[in-house]
Structures are given as structure tokens and as C-alpha cells.
Amino acid sequence: MASAAIFSSLRRRRSPSLEAFLAPVDLTEVALVQTLATLSSELVSCYSSHVFFFQRRNSRSLIRKIEVFLLLLEYLRDSGSGFMSNLPTTAVLCFKELYLLLYRSKILLDYCSQSSKLWLLLQNHSISGHFHDLNQEISTLLDVFPIKEINLSDDVREQVELLQKQARKAKLYLDKSDENLRLRFFSFLDEFEHGRIPNHVELRLFFVERLGIKDAKSCRSEIEFLEEQIVNHEGDIEPAASVLNGFVAITRYCSFLLFGFEEDKLQLSFGNKKTPRKGLITREIAWQTYDRSSIARWMEEGHYTCPKTGQMLIHNRLVPNRALRNLIMQWCTAHGVPYDPPETTDASAESFAAALPNKATTEANRATATLLIQQLANGSQGAQTVAAREIRLLAKTGKENRAFIAEAGAIPHLRKLLSSSDPIAQENSVTAMLNLSIYEKNKSLIIDEDGCLGSIVEVLRLGLTTEARQNAAATLFSLSAVHDYKKRIADQGGAVEALAELLRVGAPRGKKDAVTALFNLATHPDNCARMIEAGAITALVGALESEGVEEEAAGALALIVRQPIGAEAVGKEETAVPGLIAMMRCGTPRGKENAVTALLEFCRTGGAATTKRVLKAPALAGLLQALLFTGTKRARRKAASLARVFQRCEYASLHFGELGVAYAFAGNSTMNNSSLPADVSMSMSISVL
């Protein structure tokens, strides 16, 4: 699948209006002229007195052209329906084309009035080109328009003819002052690229005096807008995403350098999440999806328009529509339809997805981190809260960011904020700690920081917001990826108890964070007794019936029952065996793997008495037989091993004899899988927040 961008514009709030692409076909001449007059009047009324920060001359020129069209249309409208009904056919066709041009003019003027200043600056060439294209199309329309065949007043005719001459002579216009500002912005990027921090006075002159960005809130709006462009123009953006990331980093640095750290607390809160600002991007970007080979052949044949809308394509690069491709693949899998994904991928899109930050981005972020940590150390409570939030955001992406933030000394200051009575400060600090912990080398800095592990556990136990408690659990999961730290975490007072409690009563995401952390802790054999003592076994057994965490719970139990004390503890839970068998019946493929593995290890460790107890479970024989034939390779191997354990049990001949043939078949089919890992099946990842 490939997507072709038809033309650029504004907001994602509304889908592209049909009027933007299709000329009206069912309007009478009278209705068409009236509609055009209304649309022109609205545009003139909206923008005639509007002050454009950029593209001032191009915008004013376009508005003046629309004013002349409005003069013509009002004259025709006021001449009466009889006059309009007798318009030449060519004039009617021109008016239908004008309908499209007016809508496109509205889109472009909206874009220039509502987009961020920095984005307009960076798109100076492209947007100027859009204005020029519109002018060329207006010129063509006026050349075709049969002005001599229509009885117009002298002043209207004079205005239209003058517009016709001006449109013919018009050339692409680039505002020199705008272009100089754009080049100055790039010069800041170049300075960071060479390891130099731009002069404070020059940055203030650029952002405050030249661009009119005069507070932190305005800076944040600019940053959010640029970040949205990166996300929503994947693989198809100029400047390149890596360059845009550099400009985001510079703007973030200037936000704190120039405007300080005090902000409205409502802007800091992550507990009361508001809907992300869809804002000023691509309202009228029209994406069409085509079969790759078909659209490629269309272009190879010399076509430079969209087959559906007829609009000129900005470029002929094909961008994979991965979302649609994944949906098709899922549907094929669900319905048993063979699906072979394409062997090749679009190079530009792949390079975008894997793009690494350039040096300018890294150096600007490093300079920002220095300012943030200074505020963590010496700032007011409000400034510390802002700094913690920004470190959280900065540590979301890139190991370089996580590395230099920790190297600059952020962890001790974040540890102090974990005990803050301010819920926003606490939430941001623990989440920043989570994001930093993803970088392997930072795990030791966090664990070895005096009191840090205890503070994280306290947030898990008594955190002031749900999100803070959840992220504390996720931080323990991240840290427990290091084997030597699993015992230290389990031995930390209250840690396992708090994870078990979160697994029992937490929100879905909190339960997921808790069960994955408990799974990691269960992989250390010395933690079994501690987990039993803390009530983690009961919580894990209960989680077998909880959607979203049942797979990990079964996996953790499979590890715990390998030890006699673990098997004994699980055996005391009345719902443990029924819960595992229920998962074999209705679970996901991985859930079934973990369930049969847990039963296998339970029987092996518990001996004959435990095996007989499991064998008494209703419908187990049929479930195991089904798994022997239809399960994954690993599930079939574990099921075969469990069947062998059952066959060695005297009690099995009464209840399980029918599995002999199935076991032999499955056993033979899995003889070559002895090299497969014996541990439980898990698929876990850490999400930055």
C-alpha cells in the first residue's frame, strides 16, 4: 500500500471538505454565482484586515484578487437571474473552477494565519510556491474567461482586465526579511552542530524581538506544533525530521533560557490529562491510499496527478500506509487467508523511522538539561516541578538524552522530589526516573543512589496519584531487568507487598506494571520465599482471571512452582489449577503455553499427589489433546511432557488413557525441539511516559 499526499494544509480537527476537491455539478448559474459571491465575501471579510506575521505580501495580493472577483460576482448577482441564466458556457465553467480556487485560497490563508511562526518560517519557500501556483491558476482562468461576451459595467470590466494583466506578470515572491530570519534560525542549528551555544542576546533578539515569542507558553505552543509535524508527516517532510528535531531542541532550550521556569500548574499536571492538542496541522491534507504496483505504474506512465481527485501531486515518493497494511494482515490471519508482506520497504520512510538525532539536537538538549538540573538543585518548588516535567519529557526518547541527563547529576535531585508533598512534582519525578532507567547504564546509578530504591517503593505504596504509583511499579520492573537487582528489590521493605496490592486492585495499566515486575522478581530463585510471605502468590493466582495480565501471571507461577515451597504455596490456592485449566481452554496462544508450562512444573515439583490432584480436573484430557494437535510448537512440547508425567502416574490409566496416541504423535513431532528454551513465554517492554 502507498499513500500520495495531495496538497498541504491545516488542521486535523476536520476531515477534508468535499468542496475542496470537487467542483459543483448540480447548481444553476444563479445559485453558482450567489454561492461564489458569498464565499468570496466571507474570505474578504475574514482576512482583509487580518495582520499576517509571515507571507504578508503574498496574502495581501491573494486577498486583493479575491476582492476583484467579489466585485465581478456582486455585479452579476445584482444584475438579476435573467442576466445570470444567459451566461456563456465558458463563463460557467470558469466559475466552477473559481469555486475550487476560492476553497484552496481559504485553506492557504487559514494555514498562514493559524500555523506556528517557526513552522511558517521553515516552510517559507514551500508556502510561497503555493501562493504562486494559485496565482498561475487564476491567471489561466482569467485568460479563458469570456469577458468580452459579458455585458459588464466599465469599472468592473476595467478591474477584471487589470487583474488579468497583473496575474500574467506575477512572479514567485519570497519575502527577503522572512528568508533572512529563516537562515538565521538555521545558523543557530549550525552553531549547536559545531558544539557552540549561540549567544544569549542573539537568541533573545530572534525569538522575542523578531518573532514576537515573548513567554514560555508561546514557546511551548511552537514546540508542540513542530512535534506534531514530525509525527503526522512521517517520511514526507521538509526539513527532514532529524533537522526539525534540532529546531525543537533549540526552541525548548530558549524557552527556559529566556523565560525561566515558573508556569501555570495546570500546564504541569499529568494526572488530569487533557486531550492532546490536535491543533494547527494538516486539516486539509488529503491522503489517498493505492495499491503500490498500480500507483507506481500510473506514475511511470507520466501521470503527475492523483487518480481520484485530479490534483497535482507535490512529489512522486510513495509512503507506505503501515496502518492499513497491518489491518489487512490481521484480517488475513484471523480468516486463514495467506498473506505475504512485501519484501521491500520504502527507503525514505524506513530511514525516517530509524532516524537518529543529529549532533545539533543532542547538544541543544544537553544545554537544556544543564539548565533543568540547575533548577532541580536550586530552584523554587514551582521551578523544580517544571524541571522534573521537562526532564521526564527529554528522557522519553534517545539513549543519548538519558545518558547525559544522568551524567549531569539529575538522579539525586529527582530522588528528593519523590518525597514531595506536591502530587504533580512527585508524579513527574518518578516518571522521569522510569524513563532514565530504560538506559542500561543508568540502572546502577539509580539503585546505588542512597535511599532511591526505598523512595521509589514509597511512591508505589503511598503515591499521591494513580499514575505515580503505576510508574513506580514500572520503574521496579525496569530495574529488575538486571539479575543482581532482583533480590535487592524483593528485599526492600514493602516492595513485593505493594506490587501484589497493585495487581489485586489497580487499574488495568497498573496491574500490567505490577505483574511484569513480579514476573521479573520470580525469575530469581532466592525471591520465592519472600514472594510467598508478601502475598504475591495469592495475587498472581487471582490475576489468572484478570484480562490483560493473565499471561504474565501464569508465567510467574510457572517459575514459582519450580521450587517445592512455591509449589506448596500454589497448591494451597484453591483456584490455581482451575484458573490454569481455564486459560488452556480460552487463553491466547501464549497464555496456553504458560498455563500448560505452569501445570507441568507444578506436577514435576509436587510429585504424585499433586499430579493426581491435577488429573482430577474436569475436561483436562480433552484440552490437553487439543493442545497437542493445535497448539504452538512450544505448547505442544510442554503438553507432550505433561502427558508423559501423567502416563507415569498410576491414576492416569483410569482418567487419561485416551491420550496415548496423541502423546506419541506430539512426542515424535517435537523430538527436534529439544533446543527450545524451557522458560515461560513472555513478551514485555517498557513504555516511556
Side-chain angles (χ1 to χ4, degrees), residues 490-568:
D491 289 342
Q492 182 68 42
V496 180
E497 287 88 347
L499 289 171
E501 180 68 11
L502 186 61
L503 179 56
R504 279 193 294 267
V505 301
R509 212 206 88 200
K511 289 185 175 184
K512 191 76 169 179
D513 293 328
V515 77
T516 50
L518 288 171
F519 176 90
N520 265 9
L521 297 182
T523 62
H524 197 297
D526 294 344
N527 286 341
C528 187
R530 180 74 188 88
M531 295 182 72
I532 295 170
E533 176 190 359
I537 308 304
T538 301
L540 288 167
V541 170
L544 293 174
E545 300 178 0
S546 182
E547 184 178 358
V549 296
E550 69 275 23
E551 294 176 0
E552 291 83 358
L557 291 172
L559 295 169
I560 290 168
V561 296
R562 290 178 178 177
Q563 299 188 51
I565 59 171
E568 181 182 354

Side-chain angles (χ1 to χ4, degrees), residues 403-418:
F404 63 63
I405 290 171
E407 290 168 1
I411 290 171
H413 302 298
L414 290 171
R415 192 266 302 166
K416 294 177 183 177
L417 275 185
L418 292 175

